[in-house]
């Protein structure tokens, strides 16, 4: 063999030997699935998309994130189940459906537990917020790692008639999130609470299976519920933050460095979502009004008093935690 042939043969052999290696590298590229019930551009979705870009950059493309918005992977119940199985890595869910699993979380699900959104922000940003995320991760039944909080504003009742006081809700079926605490809250407010998945709500409103629902302005607009409900009554009965959870099953396969990276960018996403949230609330309020939605003031004190039994019933187990929340200034 000539020297050139020898060299060529050597190169070819080296390339052949490297092929499986290259394949191995290719296989190491990981795509995490993330899901949300809201569309692209919604603050929680956007914050997670941006977080994914940071992860991709920090890992040199080794890990990237694919977002499945708008209930493509089902409602929150389905998202939680998929994350528990490791079929989905990141799920952005409300505290609402997690209350029945991690009891302390139900404190956040109590009507009028927070004085206002600023109070809720102080609580989730401080030691109580950290502790509750820790409880979610430590509870073996969740099979989830809780990474951060996100803002979801204040929930108000919407329907086709003004609701100013508890008597106005008489006989009205109002959709609530799947957690007994919410159904009882609506019943105490004077209506008939109906537990239902978010994914069934639009058609339930359209067909009259329910007379109304309750949520924040960005959700109302993003889900087109203003097409079927024309009056937004500012009851302000619930201020419930959201949580970003990660599949524990996938988490356990990650290096310590990747876990740390994930925690860091998730914390940044908490702050980032808040800015996007405030902007979106202002924008959607304006758009809802422009589209003809009627905003109605209510007798908040009457709703506060009417829901006292719910705070007593569900809060009695968590007196110390509630005191700490009240003391958060
Ligand atoms: C929205 C929240 C969703 C979902 C929904 C609901 O505000 O962003 O995660 O919980 O409410 O009412 O089910």
């Amino acid at each position: 063999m000539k020297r050139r042939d020898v060299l060529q043969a050597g190169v070819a052999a080296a390339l052949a030997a490297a092929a499986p290696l290259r394949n191995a590298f290719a296989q190491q590229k990981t795509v995490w699935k993330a899901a949300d019930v809201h569309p692209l551009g919604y603050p929680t979705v956007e914050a997670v998309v941006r977080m994914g870009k940071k992860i991709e950059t920090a890992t040199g493309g080794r890990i990237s994130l694919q977002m499945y918005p708008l209930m493509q992977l089902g409602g929150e119940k389905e998202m939680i189940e998929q994350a528990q199985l490791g079929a989905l890595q990141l799920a952005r869910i409300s505290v609402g459906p997690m209350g029945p699993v991690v009891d302390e979380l139900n404190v956040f699900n109590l009507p009028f537990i927070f004085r206002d959104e600023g109070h809720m922000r102080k609580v989730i940003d401080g030691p109580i917020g950290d502790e509750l995320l820790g409880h979610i991760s430590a509870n073996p039944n969740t099979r989830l790692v809780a990474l951060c909080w996100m803002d979801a504003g204040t929930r108000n009742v919407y329907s086709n008639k003004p609701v100013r006081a508890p008597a106005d809700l008489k006989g009205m079926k109002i959709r609530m999130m799947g957690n007994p605490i919410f159904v009882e809250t609506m019943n105490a407010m004077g209506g008939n609470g109906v537990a239902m998945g978010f994914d069934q709500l639009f058609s339930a409103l359209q067909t009259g299976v329910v007379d109304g629902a309750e949520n924040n302005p960005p959700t109302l607009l993003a889900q087109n519920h203003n097409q079927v409900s024309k009056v937004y009554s500012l009851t302000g009965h619930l201020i419930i933050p959201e949580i970003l959870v990660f599949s524990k099953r996938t988490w356990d396969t990650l290096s310590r460095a990747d876990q740390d990276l994930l925690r860091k960018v998730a914390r940044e996403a908490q702050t980032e979502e808040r800015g996007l949230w405030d902007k979106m609330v202002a924008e959607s309020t304006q758009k809802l009004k422009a589209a003809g939605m009627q905003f109605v003031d209510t007798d908040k004190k009457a709703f506060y008093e009417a829901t006292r039994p719910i705070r007593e019933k569900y809060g009695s187990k968590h007196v110390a935690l509630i005191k700490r929340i009240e003391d958060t200034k």
Side-chain angles (χ1 to χ4, degrees):
M1 244 195 215
K2 286 197 191 125
R3 198 175 126 78
R4 209 183 55 206
D5 291 343
V6 171
L7 265 177
Q8 269 172 3
V11 169
L15 281 175
L21 251 180
R22 272 203 312 276
N23 288 342
F25 278 127
Q27 277 160 14
Q28 272 172 20
K29 278 202 189 266
T30 306
V31 181
W32 285 339
K33 286 188 182 172
D36 198 304
V37 298
H38 293 302
L40 289 174
Y42 191 90
T44 53
V45 183
E46 179 61 21
V48 172
V49 166
R50 291 186 191 181
M51 184 180 131
K53 288 195 184 127
K54 285 188 194 169
I55 293 174
E56 194 169 347
T57 307
T59 62
R62 182 172 48 85
I63 304 175
S64 59
L65 203 141
Q66 172 73 45
M67 168 60 74
Y68 294 84
L70 209 51
M71 295 185 257
Q72 279 174 21
L73 302 185
E76 289 194 2
K77 195 168 152 279
E78 291 75 27
M79 281 161 47
I80 293 171
E81 284 165 6
Q82 289 168 57
Q84 288 172 332
L85 293 172
L88 170 69
Q89 279 64 52
L90 282 153
R92 199 286 307 151
I93 53 173
S94 169
V95 168
M98 285 302 287
V101 190
V102 181
D103 196 46
E104 296 94 334
L105 279 181
N106 262 338
V107 169
F108 283 5
N109 291 330
L110 289 172
F112 300 104
I113 186 71
F114 297 112
R115 290 184 290 275
D116 50 32
E117 289 177 20
H119 180 205
M120 184 277 289
R121 288 176 172 181
K122 287 237 167 70
V123 173
I124 59 172
D125 289 350
I128 299 176
D130 288 344
E131 277 167 39
L132 288 182
L133 290 179
H135 283 318
I136 299 170
S137 309
N139 185 321
N141 296 327
T142 65
R143 288 178 280 149
L144 298 169
V145 175
L147 294 176
C148 69
W149 300 100
M150 291 195 176
D151 275 57
T154 304
R155 297 174 80 101
N156 302 297
V157 170
Y158 52 92
S159 60
N160 279 313
K161 68 171 225 191
V163 171
R164 295 194 170 88
D168 295 331
L169 278 167
K170 196 166 186 313
M172 286 176 76
K173 294 192 289 291
I174 305 292
R175 178 269 172 176
M176 304 298 285
M177 280 191 278
N179 179 338
I181 204 169
F182 300 132
V183 172
E184 290 176 44
T185 293
M186 183 41 66
N187 295 346
M189 285 169 72
N192 299 327
V194 178
M196 183 185 284
F198 193 53
D199 44 334
Q200 291 151 44
L201 181 53
F202 185 86
S203 94
L205 286 165
Q206 203 174 30
T207 55
V209 168
V210 290
D211 302 302
E214 41 83 62
N215 224 311
N216 52 56
T219 295
L220 193 49
L221 187 70
Q223 304 289 336
N224 297 317
H225 291 175
N226 62 317
Q227 289 175 5
V228 279
S229 297
K230 300 287 175 201
V231 187
Y232 195 46
S233 303
L234 304 175
T235 45
H237 54 286
L238 290 168
I239 297 179
I240 309 177
E242 327 249 48
I243 4 173
L244 184 64
V245 293
F246 193 86
S247 166
K248 175 90 167 60
R249 204 157 175 180
T250 309
W251 180 264
D252 289 341
T253 67
L254 302 182
S255 68
R256 184 62 206 266
D258 285 345
Q259 291 176 348
D260 290 347
L261 170 68
L262 199 48
R263 283 201 189 280
K264 176 178 161 282
V265 291
R267 279 305 178 151
E268 290 165 11
Q270 174 163 331
T271 311
E272 193 149 10
E273 193 264 353
R274 186 164 296 171
L276 296 168
W277 181 259
D278 286 340
K279 222 171 133 243
M280 185 65 107
V281 170
E283 266 172 35
S284 25
T285 301
Q286 204 188 11
K287 284 188 186 154
L288 286 169
K289 285 183 178 167
M293 187 112 195
Q294 187 191 346
F295 280 58
V296 170
D297 280 329
T298 69
D299 182 355
K300 265 203 183 178
K301 190 146 189 299
F303 288 114
Y304 178 84
E305 290 305 333
T307 52
R308 191 181 290 279
I310 308 299
R311 283 185 295 282
E312 282 167 7
K313 175 177 171 187
Y314 286 95
S316 59
K317 282 182 275 179
H318 305 292
V319 177
L321 178 57
I322 292 175
K323 173 88 175 56
R324 285 173 64 208
I325 292 177
E326 279 166 6
D327 289 348
T328 304
K329 296 272 150 52

